[in-house]
Amino acid sequence: MPVVTFDYRDFIALLGHKISKDELIEKLPMIGADVDSVDGDAISIEFFPNRPDLTSVEGISRAARAFFGYKTGLTVYPLNSSDVMTTVDLSVKTVRPFIATALLKNVNMTDDLIRSLMDLQEKLHLGLGRNRKKVAIGVHNVEPVTPPFTYKAVDPQAVSFVPLGKTEPMTLEEILQKHEKGVAYAHLLKGYDHYPLIVDAHHNVLSFPPIINGCLTEVTSFTKDLFIDVTGTDQKAVHYALNIISTALAERGGVIHSTTIHDGKTIFVSPNLEPMKKMLSVSYVNATLGTILNEQQIIDCLAKMGYHATVSKKDVLSVMIPGWRADILHEIDLVEDVAIGYGFDRFTTDFVNDLTFGKTLPLHDLCENLRSIMIGLGYNEVTTFTISNERSEFTNMGLPQSDCVKIENPIGEEYSCLRVSLLPSMLSILNENRHHPLPQQIFELGFIVDHDAKNRRHLAALKIDAKANFTSCKSLVEAVCRDIGTSYEIQESKHPAFIPGRCASLRKNNVEIGVFGELHPRTISAFSLEHPIIAFELSVDSINHP
Amino acid sequence: MDFDKIIQELSQNEKKVLLTLKKLNGSASPQELVKQGDFTQVAEVMNAASWLQSKKLVAIEDHITTVYSLGKEGKHFVQNGLPEKRALKYLSEHNGKSSLKDLSQILEQSEISVAVGWLRTKGWVNIKKDKETLLEITDQGKKVLEIESEEEKALNYLDGHPNTTFEKTKLSSLLSRKNVLKEKEQVTSTIVLTEYGKKALEKRIEITEEISQITSALIKTGDWERTAIRPYDIHAFAPALYGGKTHPLVALIGKIRDIFIEMGFQEIEGDYVESCFWDMDVLFIPQDHPAREMQDTFYCKNPKRFPIKEKTLLESIAAVHENGGTTKSTGWGYQFSRTEGEKTLLRTHTTVSTIRYLYDHPQPPCKVFSIGRVFRKENIDTTHLPEFYQIEGIIHEENANFRQLLGILKEFYRRMGFEKIRFRPGYFPYTEPSMEVDVFWNNKWMELGGSGMFRPEVTEPVGVKSPVLAWGLGLERLAMQAFGLKDIRSLYISDLEWLQKTPLR
């Protein structure tokens, strides 16, 4: 989850109200954040990924201003117009179709702002932008370039410019091959023969989205007026990213100026900070929350969450949602904000009404009986990983490679498939315990996953002991069968993990339900063990069949 | 300890040692005590003596003594006689005279010079040198033939009593010979009454018959009624005993299962291998969600795909993702892929079992729970595992609401032993409202689970018309706290000693 680190004094300046650090740390989580760490004045807050508007100190202070009651309701930023225009060329529609732009004037580029802006840009790229795929943001010094701008797709070899961080011009192709950002994001343009580019009236390059800006428009501490371009593959995400970043700058005193975008036949003004309107049913709120709040109370709760709501008609509120809230998909999202605005800590509690009866799984009793029988026989229960590897499951057990669930992206060779038997992972446990005295006896009641990718419940036990032998193993298996009261037959078996002639299969109604005996020295050595071992493994599901 | 109590609690053997020592003037070797005190073995005496020593009634003094036994030559001498004696005998049988050469008839070549040396040193023969060396027996030589010499006495004694002390001066000539005697230092003990012990003996110490181990015969004959049963020192060390035991994690699962059952929940379960459709799509997790990436979720290459059989559901889910469908949601607003969901994965949460259950049982009321393993692509270290347990409960009920969820959570966590809990806003893609649950433990707040109400985008497509309250928590974090574990791996790659010694909670 995104962690936002900010300076307490910077936060207070943005908030415009004094609140002690302790109180702040105590109250912030109630908006929907978790204090990750506090180091002097540096406060780190973990925010939820559905609230990209809270991934900057500017956004957090805006939310806090309303939530703490200093200035509730919708925040409205002054919006001036400008004649900056961007034309979207048809050529870019197949590569990266959407763009939104804004002009920010009179920005005071303090260190706090630069740091916060870069951090926010990075967080938006990562979260909302899905690592620049859906959204990429370019922030420019507008002074050296001349509108109108054009957003188009060009031949990667035909255009060259000096990218940020370099001194020599490079073609788009060279940037993807050599520039560190180019190498990192080249995959986003894979398969396209033309790449997106934003140029000014004199063909000066502002940006090569989603890779890198030109160094011509580089922002420094002397920059006053910023041009922001947001491009992407998801129109909504582009819209929200632009609103989040421009209002963050507005929080710092920048003045938002609208720009115009000509996209084919449509012309629209950007940014679009118009609140979205959504109807909210009062009875839906109360039914969902279990409350009896009236219209005004709900309006007040919403105001604390930065909304402006009015009564539209009986039982229905009209809610104005700020243009930077990307997470309101359904009425229920407003209901949650009513609850947060009301305060989770203020809710009284209740119980559900309907009577239901508790019930365990069908095999629960059998499993519990098997567990107590094994414990009674002096065995220690273990729980081992389901994720195993084919060497343990097949090679070490002397079995031919056969079908099992294989992981496409394992964390390592040791953990590359799901186990088909409990014994291998349990033998690994014995291996981990070589330094302890013998005898050792362990059992596990757990799931294996069969070749049909279905879970199967098994019981397996191992005993490593100088005197372990087939007879003691048979006694053990027969004790288990006797104590759960199942009928069984014993038949000769040739499981390759066991010594021939000292291995038997356990059958019930002519169906094999398990195997037991003395492990073959080859098996014992394969797990780097050095003493005789007896083992059994049973299918619990099969035992249960009548 | 109180003196009288010490005396009173003396064991039978301890009393016997004290009384025997008194008889032997306060000091004796363990062997003497065995003999005089009617013991059967030294160990009995030493055992009692060391207990007495710990009670300061006797002192055990160790001495180092030299003991002797026969060497290889010595044994040979005992069998065949000393070489000088054999030579003397030969002389006396041959008129008291013999040439040196003739001695080889009865002596080994190596023995001849030894024999002659001693015969001369002891003055048992006169030696004359002519053409050849002649030996002539002296009077003294004749005399010694009749008697057993000190050396012979010593050899014969040591032959019968190996490892015994012997007056060293009497062995000097034997010791000067090679391989005749073996000398060994031996620690011997003397048990001596202390002043305290003497004082104890002034009290009445009597050996009354006393029972240590109860036997069947004692019980049957009723002898126990006439005899005192010796009390044990209940503080004395007893060896550790380990039986078979439930794994601590399983014990914890059992406890949580009981809580759910008590609260009227039914247990459900599901398979580990699932389709993306059920694990993610149905739960309204957008197809480009970061959690769905290869770096977070285990995908399977075998089996590679699970066909989606629920065609109608697939269409509803596609619509919900794209534009909200009939749920009045805006949806995520992207092009939903109908084949993406066929990809197989190791389930990332037990919620997939829950939603399948709701799809199969859409009629309220229902309360179900599951406790099962889930998988996330994490490298194994002290705080991370690629598979772990998730606990999850849901309530599907007409008119269920948020306040009821808070009430259920309070009750659930109270039964888990957490009296103080708090709720914070949270976020999960499939619940709204969502919250985090913190419990107050060890004087601080600890995050222990998430909760919420299923989103309409989740419930409506599976045919669920009433609210669903849900919550879940991880088991391992709780287990680590409960068992004081620093390394989460101990739960799955367990040390047997840890399993044996960990109390079940």
Side-chain angles (χ1 to χ4, degrees), chain B residues 148-168:
Chain B
E148 193 181 25
S149 70
E150 286 298 328
E151 287 171 325
E152 283 166 319
K153 275 186 198 160
L155 283 173
N156 287 331
Y157 180 79
L158 289 177
D159 189 37
H161 305 84
N163 288 322
T164 41
T165 53
F166 210 93
E167 219 178 300
K168 191 165 185 175

Side-chain angles (χ1 to χ4, degrees), chain A residues 224-262:
Chain A
K224 281 271 159 237
D225 300 339
L226 299 174
F227 176 72
I228 298 166
D229 79 77
V230 182
T231 60
T233 56
D234 178 327
Q235 192 167 18
K236 265 196 202 166
V238 166
H239 158 75
Y240 285 122
L242 181 68
N243 286 356
I244 288 166
I245 204 153
S246 14
T247 57
L249 287 162
E251 284 284 329
R252 295 252 178 213
V255 181
I256 306 174
H257 286 65
S258 62
T259 59
T260 320
I261 292 176
H262 285 237

Side-chain angles (χ1 to χ4, degrees), chain A residues 130 288 290 329-330 333 336 353 356 359 381 383-384 386-387 403-404 406 408-409 433 436 455, chain B residues 245 247 264 267 271 288 294 297 299 301-302 327 330 373 387 397 402-403 432 434 455 494-496:
Chain A
R130 298 285 191 268
T288 307
L329 308 180
H330 188 278
D333 295 298
E336 179 183 72
N353 301 312
T356 57
K359 194 178 165 197
E381 186 173 27
T383 56
T384 62
T386 317
I387 308 180
D403 212 10
C404 66
K406 290 177 198 164
E408 188 177 352
N409 53 336
N433 282 283
H436 288 311
N455 286 14
Chain B
K245 198 158 74 181
H247 190 287
E267 187 169 9
D271 290 317
D288 71 344
M294 293 282 261
T297 296
Y299 288 91
K301 62 178 177 194
N302 183 44
T327 64
T330 61
R373 297 237 185 133
E387 60 175 288
E397 184 174 312
F402 186 67
R403 279 179 54 235
E432 194 82 5
S434 303
R455 294 189 70 97
S494 298
D495 183 81
L496 283 181

Side-chain angles (χ1 to χ4, degrees), chain A residues 1 29-34 46 48-50 126-127 130 134 234 236 276 278 284 286-291 327-337 339-340 344-345 347-361 364 368 371 374-375 378-387 403-412 415 418-419 429-430 432-433 435-436 440-444 447 449 451-455 457, chain B residues 243-247 249-250 257 260-261 263-273 284 286 288-290 293-295 297-304 306 327-333 346 365-367 369 373 375 377-380 385-387 389 395 397-408 410-411 422-427 431-436 447 453 455-457 460 469 491-497 499-500:
Chain A
M1 273 190 281
M30 286 311 181
I31 314 183
D34 194 14
E46 201 174 56
F48 299 116
N50 63 329
L126 208 62
R130 298 285 191 268
K134 275 168 89 169
D234 178 327
K236 265 196 202 166
M276 185 176 83
K278 208 170 184 75
Y284 180 61
N286 284 324
T288 307
L289 298 181
T291 47
D327 60 315
I328 310 299
L329 308 180
H330 188 278
E331 226 179 327
I332 193 71
D333 295 298
L334 294 174
V335 175
E336 179 183 72
D337 273 2
I340 298 173
F344 276 20
D345 47 349
F347 278 91
T348 56
T349 65
D350 198 2
F351 281 124
V352 286
N353 301 312
D354 289 345
L355 178 65
T356 57
F357 297 98
K359 194 178 165 197
T360 51
L361 289 169
H364 175 78
E368 287 306 304
R371 178 172 290 115
M374 291 313 297
I375 290 167
Y379 281 69
N380 263 303
E381 186 173 27
V382 295
T383 56
T384 62
F385 289 128
T386 317
I387 308 180
D403 212 10
C404 66
V405 174
K406 290 177 198 164
I407 299 172
E408 188 177 352
N409 53 336
I411 50 170
Y415 300 94
L418 295 192
R419 61 183 175 193
I429 294 287
L430 290 185
E432 294 287 335
N433 282 283
H435 57 295
H436 288 311
Q440 294 169 3
Q441 31 197 38
I442 58 174
F443 78 97
E444 180 165 11
F447 288 111
V449 180
H451 53 82
D452 58 359
K454 295 280 175 212
N455 286 14
R457 229 186 221 93
Chain B
K245 198 158 74 181
T246 311
H247 190 287
L249 200 62
V250 177
R257 177 182 290 118
F260 275 115
I261 303 285
M263 289 174 70
F265 287 71
Q266 185 185 332
E267 187 169 9
I268 57 169
E269 64 180 355
D271 290 317
Y272 293 160
V273 184
F284 198 52
D288 71 344
H289 194 279
E293 280 171 23
M294 293 282 261
Q295 68 201 39
T297 296
F298 286 121
Y299 288 91
C300 301
K301 62 178 177 194
N302 183 44
K304 185 95 183 150
F306 279 158
T327 64
K328 292 191 204 137
S329 167
T330 61
W332 294 115
L346 302 186
C366 98
K367 292 194 199 125
F369 75 100
R373 297 237 185 133
F375 304 82
K377 196 181 171 193
E378 299 270 12
N379 282 308
I380 301 179
L385 296 173
E387 60 175 288
Y389 277 95
I395 298 175
E397 184 174 312
E398 228 177 301
N399 303 322
N401 65 50
F402 186 67
R403 279 179 54 235
Q404 292 171 338
L405 174 59
L406 300 182
I408 286 287
K410 269 203 169 143
E411 181 62 21
R422 74 172 180 195
F423 308 110
R424 268 188 296 120
Y427 171 73
T431 56
E432 194 82 5
S434 303
M435 61 186 150
E436 301 281 347
E447 192 178 308
M453 297 169 72
R455 294 189 70 97
E457 293 95 327
E460 288 179 27
L469 313 177
L491 295 168
Y492 291 91
I493 309 169
S494 298
D495 183 81
L496 283 181
E497 195 178 295
L499 288 178
Q500 286 168 335

